[in-house]
Amino acid sequence: MAIFKGAGVAIVTPFRESGDVNYDVLARMIDFQIENGTDAIIICGTTGESSTLSHEEHDECIRFTVEHVAGRVPVVAGTGSNCTAEAVRLSVHAEQSGADALLCVTPYYNKASQKGLIEYYTEIANSVSIPIIMYNVPSRTGCNILPETAVRLAKTVPNIVAIKEASGNISQVAKLASLANGCIDIYSGNDDQIVPLMSLGGIGVISVLSNVAPKLTHDMAAAYLEGDLKTAMDLQLQSIPLINALFSDVNPIPVKTAMNQMGWNVGGLRSPLCEMDEDKAQILKSQLQAMHLM
C-alpha cells in the first residue's frame, strides 16, 4: 500500500528573528496545508533546510510535526545524510517519534557508487520497520540512483517502497518504471514534471510548490489520479511560470521569499543560503499575484 497518493508538501522550516525554529508558525503552516488538501507532510527535507538544522532541531521538528499532525495525514521525515551512521540515527529517532515513513536522500558530497548506495539504503532500512522513500536528486548530491539499483533495492529490501525522482531526466524515469513494473512507487521531485511523471505511472509529487499553492498542487495530482487528464494538464501548464519563479534561485530561497511575501513570516535563511536578488523577488511576487495567491 502506498505511503500516500497525490501531493505531499516538502514544507519549509520557519525561523524566528533570533534564528530559532518558529514552531508556532510551523503549526499554522501544517494546518493550512491539511485544510487545503495536501496528502502528506514531508518535514526536514531539502526545502526544510535540513542540512543546517542541528541534530536537536532536526529531531524536535520531526517530533513536533508528528504530534501536531496527529494522524490527519502521513508524516514523512527526511533522515538521509552523507554519513550512514547519522542517517541510521536520524531514522531510528524518526520512527520512535511516530513518523509514518522516511525520505532518505542519497549521500551528498561523498558521491557513492551504486554498490555504496545499495549498502547505504540497506543499512538504513534494516535499522527501522517503517517504509522508506529513496530520494534521487543528482543536481544537489552529485550522485544518481540508476534505475537498475532502485529496482534491486525495492525487490530485495522489504521496506524500501518508493523513490522521489528529481533527476529531471524523464527518459531515466521511463526506464525505471519499465524495469520496476510496479514494484516501486514513484513520486515526482520536480513541480514542473508532475503530470509527465504521473503519465509514466507515478502516484504523486513531493512538492515545493505546495508550500504556496497547496490546493492547486493537490488538485493537479488528484485530477490525474481520477482520470481527468485535461484538468491535470491545464493546472500543470498554468503553474509553470510560478514554478519557474520558485526555482529562479537555489531552493528554498525563493519559496521562503514567496511565503514571506504572502504574510507567513517564515523568517530568513541559514547561511550559506542568502536572500534572493530584488529583481527575482519582484518577478516571484508578480507570479504569486497572477495566480491570486496574495
Side-chain angles (χ1 to χ4, degrees):
M1 183 177 177
I3 297 164
F4 73 93
K5 292 184 178 182
V9 61
I11 203 163
V12 307
T13 301
F15 298 126
R16 301 184 187 277
E17 286 188 16
S18 62
D20 298 331
V21 177
N22 191 331
Y23 291 102
D24 293 335
V25 172
L26 180 58
R28 290 196 294 110
M29 288 163 47
I30 290 169
D31 291 339
F32 171 71
Q33 290 294 321
I34 295 172
E35 288 163 5
N36 282 275
T38 294
D39 299 289
I41 305 293
I42 293 81
I43 186 71
C44 293
T46 304
T47 310
E49 296 176 80
S50 57
S51 60
T52 57
L53 296 176
S54 70
H55 293 169
E56 293 76 18
E57 287 173 328
H58 198 129
D59 290 345
E60 180 59 17
C61 281
I62 293 169
R63 188 207 64 77
F64 176 87
T65 299
V66 170
E67 180 180 280
H68 190 76
V69 170
R72 289 176 286 173
V73 296
V75 173
V76 181
T79 59
S81 175
N82 63 337
C83 170
T84 302
E86 177 60 14
V88 167
R89 189 201 72 77
L90 288 167
S91 299
V92 169
H93 181 274
E95 180 176 38
Q96 292 172 345
S97 297
D100 297 287
L102 307 176
L103 177 67
C104 295
V105 71
T106 55
Y108 39 89
Y109 186 78
N110 307 54
K111 297 180 72 172
S113 66
Q114 298 302 300
K115 179 183 177 183
L117 289 174
I118 290 169
E119 292 177 357
Y120 167 80
Y121 280 112
T122 301
E123 186 170 344
I124 295 170
N126 287 342
S127 74
V128 296
S129 59
I130 56 178
I132 290 173
I133 305 171
M134 298 180 289
Y135 180 13
N136 192 36
V137 57
S139 65
R140 295 193 79 118
T141 66
C143 185
N144 183 31
I145 307 175
L146 294 179
E148 295 85 352
T149 301
V151 170
R152 176 176 170 181
L153 282 162
K155 287 184 174 179
T156 59
V157 185
N159 56 330
I160 293 180
V161 302
I163 186 167
K164 176 185 177 182
E165 244 300 337
S167 67
N169 186 339
I170 288 294
S171 295
Q172 176 168 304
V173 176
K175 183 177 182 180
L176 169 62
S178 175
L179 291 175
N181 194 28
C183 78
I184 188 168
D185 291 330
I186 305 173
Y187 296 101
S188 177
N190 294 318
D191 286 311
D192 62 349
Q193 294 182 348
I194 299 171
V195 171
L197 190 139
M198 293 183 76
S199 75
L200 294 170
I203 62 170
V205 60
I206 295 177
S207 170
V208 174
L209 175 65
S210 282
N211 280 282
V212 298
K215 186 176 187 304
L216 180 151
T217 314
H218 165 81
D219 288 352
M220 187 193 310
Y224 196 96
L225 291 169
E226 293 164 3
D228 186 355
L229 308 190
K230 178 65 164 58
T231 295
M233 181 188 70
D234 287 346
L235 291 173
Q236 177 76 88
L237 296 179
Q238 289 168 18
S239 65
I240 291 296
L242 174 57
I243 292 167
N244 288 341
L246 286 170
F247 288 91
S248 61
D249 207 329
V250 177
N251 181 49
I253 293 172
V255 70
K256 289 195 89 172
T257 302
M259 294 190 72
N260 283 326
Q261 290 173 339
M262 293 168 68
W264 277 101
N265 297 319
V266 297
L269 300 128
R270 286 190 173 171
S271 183
L273 298 183
C274 61
E275 298 302 320
M276 70 190 302
D277 294 339
E278 184 58 30
D279 58 339
K280 291 182 179 179
Q282 286 302 315
I283 293 171
L284 178 58
K285 185 176 183 179
S286 70
Q287 291 302 329
L288 290 171
Q289 292 170 333
M291 296 292 288
H292 306 293
L293 296 172
M294 60 176 296

